[in-house]
Amino acid sequence: MLQRIDLRGMSGELSDHLPRPVVPSDGPVDAVREILTAVRERGDAAIREFTVRFDGVRVVDPRVPVTDLVAALDRVSPDVRAALEAAAASIEAYHRAQLPSDVRVERPGVSIVGMHRAVERVGCYVPGGRAVYPSTVLMTAVPARVAGVAEVVVMVPPGPDGKVPDVTLAAAAVAGVDEVLAIGG
């Protein structure tokens, strides 16, 4: 709901008269802090525990072998594979057109250079569970690759069988993802 604020006749800083958002200090924020602390302290053991808790699945190793990505690409129908490849090509073309150029300004005695560099590693979260979202794989991993990210990792909740759906793995293969982890919830 929008609220009209009449600032006519107000003196002082504008920020003194505007409502401030309330930042929760408990509830979800505390829950996330606890999860991060547990993973930081206990690593993969904590991840396995949270996968049971949130996804209802016990996984021995959340890492999906890269060979499973290639195999999934062969298992999806040719129409689905073609659609994934066409979508990836369109996403790549769009993001290549957005790539910024480095800027150089020369003045007497001064040289200023603005450079854009990709981060080294990125994690892409792909929702899962009741539905599959191969488009999210493409819309996150392909732009990362275009930007020059060296390593792209996808996290996706496993299904009830503990596996990631073939169409999601196929999208990861098309996008050139380095690693898929069956975690999330």
Side-chain angles (χ1 to χ4, degrees), residues 44 61-65 179-182:
D44 286 352
D61 185 359
R63 290 167 191 82
V64 176
E179 186 174 18
V180 174
L181 301 173

Side-chain angles (χ1 to χ4, degrees), residues 45-138:
I47 289 172
R48 283 190 293 277
E49 289 171 23
F50 289 122
T51 302
V52 169
R53 181 173 160 193
F54 296 124
D55 300 319
V57 178
R58 186 172 307 283
V59 293
V60 176
D61 185 359
R63 290 167 191 82
V64 176
V66 175
T67 54
D68 287 4
L69 277 65
V70 176
L73 193 55
D74 291 335
R75 283 192 299 266
V76 297
S77 75
D79 288 343
V80 169
R81 181 176 180 157
L84 291 171
E85 290 170 346
S90 294
I91 294 164
E92 180 178 350
Y94 175 76
H95 286 283
R96 283 212 183 281
Q98 288 186 318
L99 282 173
S101 299
D102 290 348
V103 177
R104 180 178 209 90
V105 176
E106 298 284 341
R107 304 284 302 210
V110 177
S111 179
I112 304 168
V113 179
M115 297 181 287
H116 298 85
R117 299 294 177 260
V119 295
E120 187 175 316
R121 186 174 198 220
V122 70
C124 303
Y125 178 72
V126 176
R130 294 185 199 128
V132 295
Y133 299 96
S135 59
T136 302
V137 175
L138 298 177

